[in-house]
Amino acid sequence: MPMPDVVTRFAPSPTGHLHIGGARTALFCWAFARKHRGVFTLRIEDTDQARSSDESARGIMEDLAWLGIDWDQGPEFTTSDGKKIGGDPFRVGPFFQARRVKLYNEHLMRLIEQGKAYPAFEKPEELESKRKAAVAAKQTYRYDRAALREMPDIKDRLKRMESGEPHVIRFFVPDEPVRVQDEVLGEVKYAAGEVDDFVIRKADGFPTYHFAVVVDDETMGVTHVMRAQEHLNNTPRHVALQKALGFRTPVYAHMPLICNMDSSKMSKRDKAKAARAAIKQASQKEPGVASRLASETGLGEKTLADFVAGEIDTVEVATAIGARLNIALPEIEVADFRENGYLPEAINNFVALLGWNPGMKLPDGKDLEKFDNAFLCQHFSVERIGKTSAKFDRTKLMSFNADAINALPDAVFAARWRAWCAEFSPEIVRRVPEARWGILASAVKARAKTFREASKPCAFAMLDDGAIVFDQAAVDKNLLANDKQGLALLRAFREAFAAAFPESSGDEVGAGPSHAIIETLAKDRGLGMGPVAQAIRVALAGVAVTPPLGETMAVLGRRSTLARLDRCLATHHG
Ligand code: GLU
């Protein structure tokens, strides 16, 4: 099968979760391929063996599949609903770089034979001291070829290499300027000598990122490379290598940075930053908080001290601290957003606007910003990618998500929220019978901005009737105040409820009829709904916050509602 005219690729390193910036790269590459009926490739760049893991590669694939970004060639993957993604229709795989070492070595040997690459034997310490000297002299360190001049004959070098002496392979960078034509940034020029003889095969026998990327982009037929701007400075190396290897140069488009609202670069470190700030704040009230956290998290004093000092920034440490201090760390990875109840369609829409926009207006003159992936695939264009960094506006994302939830038909919301709860809040699913799920879902949907928020007022459904803890302030205000007015109302409500739903009627109670009882009672007493409703809420949930009460009782059913009313009355001597 011939390769199509457009082949894009997303090439993550499997060293962690999929970052939201990675999701944007994938989305743009995917949309571009779809628009041009091309091929979207997923390639796993796992040549850094120490930092890569299969688990992380799988996690990245799960996140992409969750976003609906499917790849035409790449590792095979089956989605949770049984759809198969990936494969090798053009026979250019495998798609894990660590499994392509033989291919890299073939191209590498070709370069050596042509005098365009050479084994180098300097010890890391030697290079490090030269680097330090350059830094001390305020100069940019560049590999200086001194050793090459001492032993210029490639045969001597190959002999040393074959004898097993530790070595790397370096690319002999031609002494000429390199021009990179970037579709977003225009022409970027690098003067001769700016790029030094960089390593293309490491001492462990694996190619470096630069070499593997160039060989793979060529052999996988990649025509368009869209990636984060931080890779721009790698591009002259890639272009120089392509030339030396006789490869095509694909079209390059480097995407703008994604920044926080304060213009700092959005990164995984933001989690550490937030956790560190929380420790600082907590230590004002509790000077020994760091020691307490060290022992409670099991991280130990040294790790905690290093973390506080900013010497380590790992997500794991930040997460453990966030959990102990009960603070929410900023969402950075796709998995964070998923866990917090964002919808993939809202994420895609929002992420698509990070550095791109369709350039269309609504009838009212405002920019068209709301669209789905089908629209993106139809209208995506590299020309509309901006140069300036994009701001990650969390308030806007939240409002996109709320709108996306609102747009879901009730039954779809119910099913998707249930699937989310099954994964992230399973207790609700376990406790609320499936037949009553729709009632709960429609009760929380209107005010929910995320699936997680939808679950918050459902704490009442996650406890045994006898385990409700009555919040004293809520009790004082809603039951005991005004000479125990709330308790009296509760007692009257209990009688009316029991009369309306006798035992013989079974456990199902309608939301409408339950609500009507409250209305009637309030009217009879000449009161607003508030005092009656708040008293009932305290009885059913321990606090004065629940979803609408008719639905709350319908979810609990007759037996639990009565049990909770009775327990509350008994506890507070009603
Ligand atoms: N593996 C690189 C990364 O995860 C991407 C390389 C590229 O797109 O060329 O940042």
Side-chain angles (χ1 to χ4, degrees), residues 9 11-13 45 209 213 227 231:
R9 75 343 182 246
S13 306
E45 304 210 321
Y209 154 69
V213 150
R227 59 186 174 193
H231 288 296

